[in-house]
Amino acid sequence: MADPKGFLTTPREEWPRRPVEERVRDWNEVYVPGALLPIVSAQADRCMDCGVPFCHQACPLGNLIPEWNDLVSREDWRAAAERLHATNNFPEFTGRLCPAPCEAGCVLAINQPAVTIKNVECAIADRAWEEGFAPPAPPERLSGRTVAVIGSGPAGLAAAQQLTRAGHTVAVYERSDRIGGLMRYGIPEFKMEKRHLERRVEQMRAEGTKFRTSAAVGRDVDATELRARYDAVVIATGATAWRELAVPGRELAGIHQAMEYLPLANRVCEGDLESSPLSAAGRHVVIVGGGDTGADCLGTAVREGAASVTQLDIYARPGSERDEDAEPWPTYPRLYRLSAAHEEAGELRTAPAADADARLFAASTLRFTGDGGGRVCALHLVEVDAGRRTVPGTERVLPADLVLLALGFSGPDRGDGLVDRLGVELSPRGTVARDAGFATNVPGVFAAGDAARGQSLIVWAIAEGRAVAAAVDRYLTDAPSRLPAPIAPDDRPMRV
Ligand SMILES: Cc1cc2nc3c(=O)[nH]c(=O)nc-3n(C[C@H](O)[C@H](O)[C@H](O)COP(=O)(O)OP(=O)(O)OC[C@H]3O[C@@H](n4cnc5c(N)ncnc54)[C@H](O)[C@@H]3O)c2cc1C
Ligand code: SF4
């Protein structure tokens, strides 16, 4: 740290977001371009270079946070980029999308605002691309061994990059028409512009990774043939089987899953569609589900020109301060957080919604009613207490002609038949079962990411990809791997 008193003299300052009126008129990222670099070195200088850096422990990737904070405070961007890429293949993704468990664990957060670790990470990653500090790193020698990675989300991409760099010949099979998993179709452009994804895919191509799109293994590509053709297979197919809401009226038109709605908005941004067939334009939108997927629906509906919007959360409104008894530092606390999307609802919030950010807490959906023509027109809800018991006399009705269900995911989608054709066993939770070495019950077949861990986060998916690559490398070479393995399959995240 250049200034040992930085944390005493410099207040926390985050990358500023563009004014709401401006950003809701486009799909670009919400941040002010170019506004991070001038503030970030002083922010990195707030780091105390702790003897026991809890930030490092809180990060599934084991990011060397105090080291790169120091390098950024001294403006040594090349060395910072090298330290960052030593543990994270895709820091521009996590620098934009991670909920930053590292910041919840930062020692400074005990009694003052944490170091802006995520912003520092993003600044290093972006600077690395600008300055050419992240060139392709093809292997010096090929091993002659082949690997098929099924799924091109962050887990599959991280596994493929690690294995390619280790000298194996890797092909990524993706059922969608573009690479990226939920980062491509799911996460909206305003959270991460897809040009970041394109740039990494180009880097991986230059290193030798092959990509096969529109290739659903189990449907378009025979799974057993694939297993026979490659020396090892990694299943990284995500956990996209969505949860349902079994209440009366669910069958009405106008009620959709978030993941039916969000990818269409992504396709508009990609230029595939002029407008989304499920566009929220002019509609009264109610989003059922209080998580990040629901917030992504909110920001998308606002940009599409919704008439009104409400997001329902079954949990009570959390407090703004950490509850030291229930969630002591360094755990990740459940706090009232205002995401960029929540700042944007403003006048669009449905009149009876309680909060200015369009969220209605402790709300449970009872039923939907239709307009007589088979289309939803209203959502009936009731307040619930902490034990999810309904509070008598609190029933109310919201106008709703577009309802989006964002209730989470239960496990891998089995529609393609991949799991059954390969004969891999599932865990009692419905995820792909694997042992302590990331191996499934089928010899040579490994599993990583949400498909095996269950619905999680990008940072965990990248950590899984890196760890499964080390396991596959060991299997292929029958020798200890030089690839790092940041996590074990049963490591549990801090609740985020
Ligand atoms: C709307 C939404 C927003 C999110 N926002 C965030 C966020 O802001 N921050 C964060 O950290 N996490 C976020 N998440 C969670 C995060 O995206 C996931 O945890 C992460 O993408 C999981 O990575 P993965 O590689 O395991 O799977 P995925 O990203 O789901 O990728 C799996 C890929 O496998 C492909 N596939 C599936 N079956 C087959 C088959 N048979 N053959 C070939 N390909 C196949 C799929 O098409 C997909 O491309 C969000 C999730 C959603 C749904
Ligand atoms: S815990 Fe916070 S202050 Fe300590 S090393 Fe990590 S980022 Fe710096």
Side-chain angles (χ1 to χ4, degrees):
M1 64 194 146
D3 176 5
K5 293 189 180 160
F7 68 99
L8 294 173
T9 53
T10 308
R12 177 179 164 112
E13 190 181 352
E14 291 178 32
W15 189 357
R17 294 171 183 159
R18 294 186 288 139
V20 168
E21 322 75 75
E22 178 195 311
R23 68 187 200 232
V24 296
R25 290 201 300 269
D26 62 50
W27 292 95
N28 300 338
E29 279 174 17
V30 296
Y31 299 107
V32 180
L36 178 56
L37 219 49
I39 59 169
V40 78
S41 291
Q43 289 300 309
D45 215 3
R46 293 182 69 235
C47 175
M48 302 182 293
D49 194 13
C50 302
V52 182
F54 279 76
C55 57
H56 173 92
Q57 178 270 341
C59 175
L61 287 162
N63 273 343
L64 304 165
I65 294 164
E67 290 185 30
W68 38 257
N69 276 341
D70 178 54
L71 292 162
V72 169
S73 75
R74 295 171 198 278
E75 310 230 1
D76 186 348
W77 293 96
R78 182 187 291 275
E82 188 242 304
R83 298 315 286 144
L84 179 55
H85 284 97
T87 57
N88 188 350
N89 297 65
F90 313 123
E92 65 277 26
F93 305 164
T94 41
R96 287 176 169 78
L97 298 169
C98 192
C102 53
E103 293 188 20
C106 174
V107 174
L108 215 49
I110 293 175
N111 64 353
Q112 58 165 301
V115 175
T116 54
I117 301 169
K118 177 172 151 172
N119 279 183
V120 178
E121 177 180 49
C122 200
I124 302 171
D126 287 359
R127 188 78 188 243
W129 280 110
E130 273 165 34
E131 304 273 346
F133 299 153
E140 281 170 14
R141 269 182 311 170
L142 291 179
S143 68
R145 314 308 300 270
T146 57
V147 185
V149 174
I150 310 174
S152 70
L157 291 181
Q161 186 166 58
Q162 292 293 94
L163 287 163
T164 301
R165 287 178 172 179
H168 307 301
T169 300
V170 181
V172 177
Y173 287 78
E174 169 54 55
R175 74 176 165 193
S176 190
D177 58 344
R178 290 187 177 92
I179 297 298
L182 291 173
M183 297 185 301
R184 171 74 67 178
Y185 294 122
I187 293 177
E189 190 84 4
F190 59 81
K191 271 172 62 178
M192 187 181 82
E193 291 169 13
K194 306 306 171 205
R195 62 191 171 90
H196 303 295
L197 204 41
E198 302 297 355
R199 210 165 38 183
R200 277 295 170 188
V201 173
E202 278 318 304
Q203 182 199 45
M204 290 178 65
R205 278 205 175 96
E207 291 169 353
T209 306
K210 306 270 184 285
F211 292 97
R212 315 251 185 275
T213 50
S214 303
V217 179
R219 193 182 63 210
D220 307 323
V221 178
D222 188 284
T224 41
E225 269 178 34
L226 188 88
R227 173 65 201 96
R229 197 153 17 115
Y230 287 88
D231 295 318
V233 170
V234 176
I235 300 174
T237 49
T240 49
W242 52 57
R243 294 211 178 90
E244 257 306 335
L245 182 65
V247 298
R250 168 64 183 91
E251 72 288 351
L252 289 163
I255 303 174
H256 301 277
Q257 287 284 347
M259 282 304 291
E260 294 173 308
Y261 170 73
L262 290 170
L264 291 169
N266 295 130
R267 288 198 177 276
V268 171
C269 294
E270 296 279 1
D272 297 348
L273 297 171
E274 203 155 301
S275 64
S276 166
L278 298 184
S279 172
R283 298 205 180 277
H284 296 287
V285 181
V286 181
I287 300 152
V288 185
D292 282 350
T293 303
D296 290 349
C297 292
L298 178 67
T300 302
V302 168
R303 281 166 182 73
E304 288 178 340
S308 73
V309 58
T310 300
Q311 183 183 4
L312 305 182
D313 192 331
I314 200 156
Y315 293 103
R317 190 184 196 280
S320 308
E321 300 288 330
R322 184 193 282 276
D323 177 344
E324 287 297 347
D325 294 328
E327 300 171 315
W329 174 88
T331 57
Y332 191 90
R334 184 170 188 268
L335 293 180
Y336 182 79
R337 293 185 174 87
L338 202 63
S339 73
H342 291 120
E343 287 176 344
E344 294 164 359
E347 297 305 309
L348 288 181
R349 67 186 189 273
T350 312
D355 282 66
D357 61 14
R359 274 179 289 187
L360 208 51
F361 289 96
S364 175
T365 305
L366 292 173
R367 63 187 175 280
F368 301 105
T369 46
D371 59 3
R375 189 174 176 95
V376 66
C377 69
L379 178 149
H380 300 247
L381 63 91
V382 69
E383 209 176 295
V384 288
D385 64 17
R388 303 253 178 113
R389 290 174 297 259
T390 58
V391 179
T394 57
E395 191 174 325
R396 62 207 280 194
V397 183
L398 295 180
D401 43 22
L402 177 63
V403 175
L404 301 170
L405 306 178
L407 301 161
F409 303 90
S410 57
D413 172 9
R414 296 179 64 182
D416 294 324
L418 161 71
V419 164
D420 302 319
R421 291 282 293 148
L422 279 179
V424 294
E425 283 169 6
L426 298 181
S427 72
R429 291 192 302 137
T431 54
V432 177
R434 58 193 179 171
D435 65 15
F438 291 85
T440 68
N441 59 305
V442 181
V445 178
F446 297 75
D450 282 10
R453 174 171 290 275
Q455 181 191 0
S456 185
L457 294 171
I458 287 163
V459 67
W460 278 95
I462 298 173
E464 288 252 337
R466 290 172 70 82
V468 81
V472 172
D473 187 43
R474 264 195 312 275
Y475 170 80
L476 292 176
T477 58
D478 203 16
S481 176
R482 287 166 55 203
L483 294 175
I487 54 166
D490 53 358
D491 283 351
R492 299 318 304 169
M494 288 205 246
R495 190 175 62 74
V496 174

